[in-house]
Amino acid sequence: MLGFLHRRLVARSFLPRSGPVFANRLLGLQVTMTTRAAWTYDESVARLNSFQTNAAVLAEQRKRGVMQANRSFKAVKEIITVLGISQEDLSNLKIIHIAGSKGKGSTSAFTESILRDHGFKTGLFTSPHIIEVRERIRINGTPISRESFAKHLQEFTETVEENESHPPTYFVTTFLLALKVFLSEKVDVAILEVGMGGLFDATNIVQHPVVCGITHIGMTFCLILQKKKNIVKIVPCLVGSFFCKALL
């Protein structure tokens, strides 16, 4: 009976022939369409890999310099709005933001471990990964599951595509995916390691971290990494033993 009714309604254009889950009550009967197929982990990784920036594009971006970086940062702002993530949401994550040229990943991991040992539910975002990309996003020290990664990336990608947002880069995708996961998991605190750092680093979308950290910065990186200080907000900031004068 339901199958016959559904065919009649489709024939009369009362119902769409395909699309996402929807429900329509008619004569007290529930008519439900089929959901989109869920991505497997391998499919999600393949899709994420398609966001890699090729060498030609990277070369062009280097020529554009700050202008390109600013444009990319604006794209991050656009996507985070599309995802429905507000600055209030980010503030509720109690973010610890860590930058530096050496030791920032280790410092992030140590910080997460200490907080977890004291009973906090933690979220940790670092890069790059060693074996699997899901290593970049950890809950209580453990990489999120393959199923969780595939689910969240599919939701992320479909939302961005439906809103015709600017295509994100690989790093931006993993970073925003981490924020999405941390909010979904309701972590007590989130530790974020920057990418390259600086004013236009994607992680600098966070405006109100609870604390910032800058690890050791080597002399050879002082000039090219002087914008590391742009993660510093009006919050407590801890710095490494060698604080480059270029950052003052």
Side-chain angles (χ1 to χ4, degrees), residues 65-75 77 200:
V66 174
M67 183 183 297
Q68 177 62 37
N70 187 26
R71 184 179 304 169
S72 298
F73 191 66
K74 287 181 179 178
K77 290 183 177 179
F200 299 122

Side-chain angles (χ1 to χ4, degrees), residues 13-74:
S13 299
F14 290 132
L15 291 177
R17 295 176 183 274
S18 64
V21 176
F22 75 97
N24 183 26
R25 289 188 176 277
L26 181 65
L27 302 177
L29 298 176
Q30 182 86 20
V31 181
T32 306
M33 292 293 287
T34 304
T35 61
R36 293 179 182 178
W39 292 358
T40 65
Y41 177 68
D42 289 340
E43 287 172 337
S44 67
V45 171
R47 189 58 182 274
L48 177 62
N49 287 340
S50 71
F51 296 149
Q52 292 276 15
T53 308
N54 63 45
V57 174
L58 285 174
E60 183 62 27
Q61 289 177 348
R62 291 191 189 98
K63 291 180 182 179
R64 295 179 181 178
V66 174
M67 183 183 297
Q68 177 62 37
N70 187 26
R71 184 179 304 169
S72 298
F73 191 66
K74 287 181 179 178

Side-chain angles (χ1 to χ4, degrees), residues 192-225:
L192 305 180
E193 176 195 13
V194 303
M196 283 297 293
L199 183 60
F200 299 122
D201 188 89
T203 64
N204 220 25
I205 197 72
V206 177
Q207 293 298 305
H208 306 290
V210 293
V211 65
C212 295
I214 299 180
T215 64
H216 180 88
I217 297 195
M219 182 64 74
T220 52
F221 291 95
C222 279
L223 294 179
I224 62 174
L225 297 180

Side-chain angles (χ1 to χ4, degrees), residues 82-101:
V82 164
L83 294 175
I85 299 175
S86 67
Q87 283 297 325
E88 182 178 358
D89 293 328
L90 297 181
S91 295
N92 290 337
L93 278 178
K94 303 295 187 297
I95 289 172
I96 297 175
H97 202 185
I98 299 176
S101 61

